[in-house]
PDB file of all heavy atoms in Angstrom:
ATOM      1  N   CYS A1089      -6.598  12.464   6.329  1.00 95.00           N
ATOM      2  CA  CYS A1089      -7.561  11.460   5.861  1.00 95.00           C
ATOM      3  C   CYS A1089      -7.079  10.827   4.570  1.00 95.00           C
ATOM      4  O   CYS A1089      -7.119   9.611   4.383  1.00 95.00           O
ATOM      5  CB  CYS A1089      -8.928  12.097   5.624  1.00 95.00           C
ATOM      6  SG  CYS A1089      -9.600  13.009   7.021  1.00 95.00           S
ATOM      7  N   THR A1090      -6.594  11.682   3.667  1.00 96.00           N
ATOM      8  CA  THR A1090      -6.168  11.209   2.357  1.00 96.00           C
ATOM      9  C   THR A1090      -4.943  10.320   2.454  1.00 96.00           C
ATOM     10  O   THR A1090      -4.869   9.266   1.789  1.00 96.00           O
ATOM     11  CB  THR A1090      -5.881  12.418   1.446  1.00 96.00           C
ATOM     12  OG1 THR A1090      -7.096  13.165   1.289  1.00 96.00           O
ATOM     13  CG2 THR A1090      -5.372  11.985   0.093  1.00 96.00           C
ATOM     14  N   LEU A1091      -3.973  10.701   3.266  1.00 97.00           N
ATOM     15  CA  LEU A1091      -2.768   9.882   3.410  1.00 97.00           C
ATOM     16  C   LEU A1091      -3.120   8.490   3.931  1.00 97.00           C
ATOM     17  O   LEU A1091      -2.680   7.474   3.372  1.00 97.00           O
ATOM     18  CB  LEU A1091      -1.774  10.553   4.347  1.00 97.00           C
ATOM     19  CG  LEU A1091      -0.476   9.757   4.560  1.00 97.00           C
ATOM     20  CD1 LEU A1091       0.380   9.764   3.310  1.00 97.00           C
ATOM     21  CD2 LEU A1091       0.313  10.308   5.744  1.00 97.00           C
ATOM     22  N   ALA A1092      -3.913   8.423   5.000  1.00 98.00           N
ATOM     23  CA  ALA A1092      -4.272   7.128   5.571  1.00 98.00           C
ATOM     24  C   ALA A1092      -5.056   6.287   4.570  1.00 98.00           C
ATOM     25  O   ALA A1092      -4.851   5.065   4.456  1.00 98.00           O
ATOM     26  CB  ALA A1092      -5.083   7.324   6.852  1.00 98.00           C
ATOM     27  N   SER A1093      -5.956   6.920   3.814  1.00 98.00           N
ATOM     28  CA  SER A1093      -6.746   6.185   2.827  1.00 98.00           C
ATOM     29  C   SER A1093      -5.874   5.689   1.679  1.00 98.00           C
ATOM     30  O   SER A1093      -6.085   4.588   1.152  1.00 98.00           O
ATOM     31  CB  SER A1093      -7.863   7.076   2.286  1.00 98.00           C
ATOM     32  OG  SER A1093      -8.796   7.351   3.298  1.00 98.00           O
ATOM     33  N   ALA A1094      -4.890   6.496   1.273  1.00 98.00           N
ATOM     34  CA  ALA A1094      -3.984   6.064   0.220  1.00 98.00           C
ATOM     35  C   ALA A1094      -3.123   4.891   0.686  1.00 98.00           C
ATOM     36  O   ALA A1094      -2.871   3.950  -0.075  1.00 98.00           O
ATOM     37  CB  ALA A1094      -3.106   7.231  -0.226  1.00 98.00           C
ATOM     38  N   VAL A1095      -2.675   4.921   1.938  1.00 98.00           N
ATOM     39  CA  VAL A1095      -1.932   3.780   2.484  1.00 98.00           C
ATOM     40  C   VAL A1095      -2.806   2.527   2.445  1.00 98.00           C
ATOM     41  O   VAL A1095      -2.371   1.452   2.005  1.00 98.00           O
ATOM     42  CB  VAL A1095      -1.448   4.062   3.914  1.00 98.00           C
ATOM     43  CG1 VAL A1095      -0.857   2.798   4.544  1.00 98.00           C
ATOM     44  CG2 VAL A1095      -0.421   5.188   3.938  1.00 98.00           C
ATOM     45  N   ALA A1096      -4.061   2.649   2.894  1.00 98.00           N
ATOM     46  CA  ALA A1096      -4.970   1.503   2.910  1.00 98.00           C
ATOM     47  C   ALA A1096      -5.211   0.970   1.503  1.00 98.00           C
ATOM     48  O   ALA A1096      -5.195  -0.249   1.270  1.00 98.00           O
ATOM     49  CB  ALA A1096      -6.291   1.894   3.562  1.00 98.00           C
ATOM     50  N   ALA A1097      -5.435   1.876   0.548  1.00 98.00           N
ATOM     51  CA  ALA A1097      -5.668   1.447  -0.831  1.00 98.00           C
ATOM     52  C   ALA A1097      -4.446   0.729  -1.390  1.00 98.00           C
ATOM     53  O   ALA A1097      -4.571  -0.311  -2.064  1.00 98.00           O
ATOM     54  CB  ALA A1097      -6.023   2.650  -1.699  1.00 98.00           C
ATOM     55  N   ASN A1098      -3.267   1.259  -1.112  1.00 98.00           N
ATOM     56  CA  ASN A1098      -2.045   0.625  -1.609  1.00 98.00           C
ATOM     57  C   ASN A1098      -1.816  -0.743  -0.981  1.00 98.00           C
ATOM     58  O   ASN A1098      -1.386  -1.686  -1.654  1.00 98.00           O
ATOM     59  CB  ASN A1098      -0.846   1.537  -1.348  1.00 98.00           C
ATOM     60  CG  ASN A1098      -0.815   2.730  -2.280  1.00 98.00           C
ATOM     61  OD1 ASN A1098      -1.201   2.634  -3.430  1.00 98.00           O
ATOM     62  ND2 ASN A1098      -0.355   3.871  -1.774  1.00 98.00           N
ATOM     63  N   LEU A1099      -2.110  -0.880   0.313  1.00 98.00           N
ATOM     64  CA  LEU A1099      -1.992  -2.185   0.961  1.00 98.00           C
ATOM     65  C   LEU A1099      -2.982  -3.176   0.355  1.00 98.00           C
ATOM     66  O   LEU A1099      -2.644  -4.341   0.112  1.00 98.00           O
ATOM     67  CB  LEU A1099      -2.230  -2.049   2.468  1.00 98.00           C
ATOM     68  CG  LEU A1099      -1.139  -1.324   3.266  1.00 98.00           C
ATOM     69  CD1 LEU A1099      -1.602  -1.091   4.697  1.00 98.00           C
ATOM     70  CD2 LEU A1099       0.168  -2.108   3.258  1.00 98.00           C
ATOM     71  N   ALA A1100      -4.202  -2.719   0.092  1.00 98.00           N
ATOM     72  CA  ALA A1100      -5.219  -3.593  -0.497  1.00 98.00           C
ATOM     73  C   ALA A1100      -4.819  -4.034  -1.904  1.00 98.00           C
ATOM     74  O   ALA A1100      -5.186  -5.129  -2.346  1.00 98.00           O
ATOM     75  CB  ALA A1100      -6.569  -2.876  -0.529  1.00 98.00           C
ATOM     76  N   ARG A1101      -4.067  -3.192  -2.604  1.00 97.00           N
ATOM     77  CA  ARG A1101      -3.600  -3.530  -3.950  1.00 97.00           C
ATOM     78  C   ARG A1101      -2.379  -4.443  -3.935  1.00 97.00           C
ATOM     79  O   ARG A1101      -1.901  -4.869  -4.989  1.00 97.00           O
ATOM     80  CB  ARG A1101      -3.267  -2.245  -4.715  1.00 97.00           C
ATOM     81  CG  ARG A1101      -4.482  -1.370  -5.008  1.00 97.00           C
ATOM     82  CD  ARG A1101      -4.072   0.010  -5.489  1.00 97.00           C
ATOM     83  NE  ARG A1101      -3.342  -0.032  -6.747  1.00 97.00           N
ATOM     84  CZ  ARG A1101      -2.454   0.887  -7.145  1.00 97.00           C
ATOM     85  NH1 ARG A1101      -2.174   1.910  -6.338  1.00 97.00           N
ATOM     86  NH2 ARG A1101      -1.862   0.789  -8.292  1.00 97.00           N
ATOM     87  N   GLY A1102      -1.858  -4.728  -2.733  1.00 97.00           N
ATOM     88  CA  GLY A1102      -0.772  -5.691  -2.626  1.00 97.00           C
ATOM     89  C   GLY A1102       0.602  -5.118  -2.374  1.00 97.00           C
ATOM     90  O   GLY A1102       1.579  -5.868  -2.317  1.00 97.00           O
ATOM     91  N   LEU A1103       0.712  -3.791  -2.202  1.00 98.00           N
ATOM     92  CA  LEU A1103       2.024  -3.215  -1.913  1.00 98.00           C
ATOM     93  C   LEU A1103       2.455  -3.559  -0.493  1.00 98.00           C
ATOM     94  O   LEU A1103       1.629  -3.657   0.416  1.00 98.00           O
ATOM     95  CB  LEU A1103       1.998  -1.688  -2.072  1.00 98.00           C
ATOM     96  CG  LEU A1103       2.291  -1.115  -3.471  1.00 98.00           C
ATOM     97  CD1 LEU A1103       1.199  -1.496  -4.458  1.00 98.00           C
ATOM     98  CD2 LEU A1103       2.448   0.399  -3.394  1.00 98.00           C
ATOM     99  N   ALA A1104       3.755  -3.716  -0.306  1.00 98.00           N
ATOM    100  CA  ALA A1104       4.304  -3.864   1.037  1.00 98.00           C
ATOM    101  C   ALA A1104       4.164  -2.538   1.780  1.00 98.00           C
ATOM    102  O   ALA A1104       4.014  -1.480   1.166  1.00 98.00           O
ATOM    103  CB  ALA A1104       5.768  -4.284   0.968  1.00 98.00           C
ATOM    104  N   LEU A1105       4.227  -2.594   3.115  1.00 98.00           N
ATOM    105  CA  LEU A1105       3.938  -1.413   3.923  1.00 98.00           C
ATOM    106  C   LEU A1105       4.826  -0.228   3.565  1.00 98.00           C
ATOM    107  O   LEU A1105       4.339   0.894   3.394  1.00 98.00           O
ATOM    108  CB  LEU A1105       4.072  -1.736   5.413  1.00 98.00           C
ATOM    109  CG  LEU A1105       3.836  -0.556   6.365  1.00 98.00           C
ATOM    110  CD1 LEU A1105       2.418  -0.008   6.214  1.00 98.00           C
ATOM    111  CD2 LEU A1105       4.105  -0.969   7.808  1.00 98.00           C
ATOM    112  N   ARG A1106       6.113  -0.426   3.456  1.00 98.00           N
ATOM    113  CA  ARG A1106       7.004   0.710   3.185  1.00 98.00           C
ATOM    114  C   ARG A1106       6.702   1.335   1.824  1.00 98.00           C
ATOM    115  O   ARG A1106       6.651   2.557   1.690  1.00 98.00           O
ATOM    116  CB  ARG A1106       8.457   0.274   3.285  1.00 98.00           C
ATOM    117  CG  ARG A1106       8.878  -0.011   4.727  1.00 98.00           C
ATOM    118  CD  ARG A1106      10.368  -0.096   4.893  1.00 98.00           C
ATOM    119  NE  ARG A1106      10.723  -0.061   6.314  1.00 98.00           N
ATOM    120  CZ  ARG A1106      11.913   0.250   6.781  1.00 98.00           C
ATOM    121  NH1 ARG A1106      12.889   0.571   5.944  1.00 98.00           N
ATOM    122  NH2 ARG A1106      12.159   0.267   8.077  1.00 98.00           N
ATOM    123  N   ALA A1107       6.482   0.499   0.823  1.00 98.00           N
ATOM    124  CA  ALA A1107       6.142   1.017  -0.502  1.00 98.00           C
ATOM    125  C   ALA A1107       4.782   1.701  -0.487  1.00 98.00           C
ATOM    126  O   ALA A1107       4.582   2.733  -1.136  1.00 98.00           O
ATOM    127  CB  ALA A1107       6.158  -0.118  -1.528  1.00 98.00           C
ATOM    128  N   ALA A1108       3.840   1.148   0.272  1.00 98.00           N
ATOM    129  CA  ALA A1108       2.503   1.737   0.365  1.00 98.00           C
ATOM    130  C   ALA A1108       2.561   3.125   0.984  1.00 98.00           C
ATOM    131  O   ALA A1108       1.861   4.054   0.538  1.00 98.00           O
ATOM    132  CB  ALA A1108       1.584   0.829   1.189  1.00 98.00           C
ATOM    133  N   CYS A1109       3.385   3.300   2.009  1.00 97.00           N
ATOM    134  CA  CYS A1109       3.494   4.599   2.683  1.00 97.00           C
ATOM    135  C   CYS A1109       4.201   5.629   1.811  1.00 97.00           C
ATOM    136  O   CYS A1109       3.792   6.799   1.759  1.00 97.00           O
ATOM    137  CB  CYS A1109       4.225   4.434   4.010  1.00 97.00           C
ATOM    138  SG  CYS A1109       3.280   3.518   5.263  1.00 97.00           S
ATOM    139  N   THR A1110       5.247   5.207   1.118  1.00 97.00           N
ATOM    140  CA  THR A1110       5.950   6.128   0.224  1.00 97.00           C
ATOM    141  C   THR A1110       5.037   6.591  -0.903  1.00 97.00           C
ATOM    142  O   THR A1110       4.955   7.791  -1.215  1.00 97.00           O
ATOM    143  CB  THR A1110       7.202   5.458  -0.364  1.00 97.00           C
ATOM    144  OG1 THR A1110       8.094   5.109   0.700  1.00 97.00           O
ATOM    145  CG2 THR A1110       7.920   6.382  -1.337  1.00 97.00           C
ATOM    146  N   ALA A1111       4.319   5.650  -1.517  1.00 96.00           N
ATOM    147  CA  ALA A1111       3.405   5.998  -2.608  1.00 96.00           C
ATOM    148  C   ALA A1111       2.282   6.907  -2.117  1.00 96.00           C
ATOM    149  O   ALA A1111       1.858   7.827  -2.820  1.00 96.00           O
ATOM    150  CB  ALA A1111       2.828   4.727  -3.235  1.00 96.00           C
ATOM    151  N   ALA A1112       1.807   6.667  -0.901  1.00 96.00           N
ATOM    152  CA  ALA A1112       0.736   7.489  -0.337  1.00 96.00           C
ATOM    153  C   ALA A1112       1.212   8.922  -0.108  1.00 96.00           C
ATOM    154  O   ALA A1112       0.497   9.888  -0.388  1.00 96.00           O
ATOM    155  CB  ALA A1112       0.229   6.883   0.965  1.00 96.00           C
TER     156      ALA A1112
END
């Protein structure tokens, strides 16, 4: 749950998908 939510939050903040997934 946390990983998927962190990806979503990072995408909403403007990160590209690969960066959003790594940060998550």
Side-chain angles (χ1 to χ4, degrees):
C1089 306
T1090 298
L1091 180 71
S1093 293
V1095 172
N1098 286 325
L1099 290 172
R1101 294 168 63 206
L1103 272 66
L1105 178 61
R1106 289 195 167 200
C1109 291
T1110 299

